[in-house]
Amino acid sequence: QVQLVESGGGLVQAGGSLRLSCVASGSIFSINAMGWYRQAPGKERELVAFISGGGTTNYVDSVKGRFTISRDNAKSTVYLQMNSLKPEDTAVYYCNMGKVITANYRAMDYWGKGTLVTVSS
């Protein structure tokens, strides 16, 4: 059974930075893709970024150039470095384990409990 635990959220002023971490249990981390999602109040959950097992990355347009996803397979950890944060980045951020199929991310049913990011203006 895979368990995902996020950390690193908090309150930050606009323009600031945060780094989220997600540690995965189990031995299948390195062969699977990982994704970061977020859900703002009253909005649907959206995929923010994902990274394949081989390290290929992809981002939603709204965070390109500001967020960087990376992974450390030795530590079974995926990171989301968030710079130049904006109030509209405020959300609960979730990590997910999934698959990349024809360049698209497909979430599997492995989710963390989320970490809250609040960006003040």
Side-chain angles (χ1 to χ4, degrees), residues 96-110:
N96 173 265
M97 182 176 286
K99 300 284 188 183
V100 176
I101 301 173
T102 58
N104 294 307
Y105 186 81
R106 294 290 181 260
M108 294 194 289
D109 196 22
Y110 300 123

Side-chain angles (χ1 to χ4, degrees), residues 77-95:
T77 301
V78 62
Y79 304 97
L80 186 68
Q81 177 67 43
M82 306 186 295
N83 299 328
S84 302
L85 282 161
K86 304 175 180 180
E88 52 263 44
D89 295 317
T90 295
V92 178
Y93 285 72
Y94 301 89
C95 72

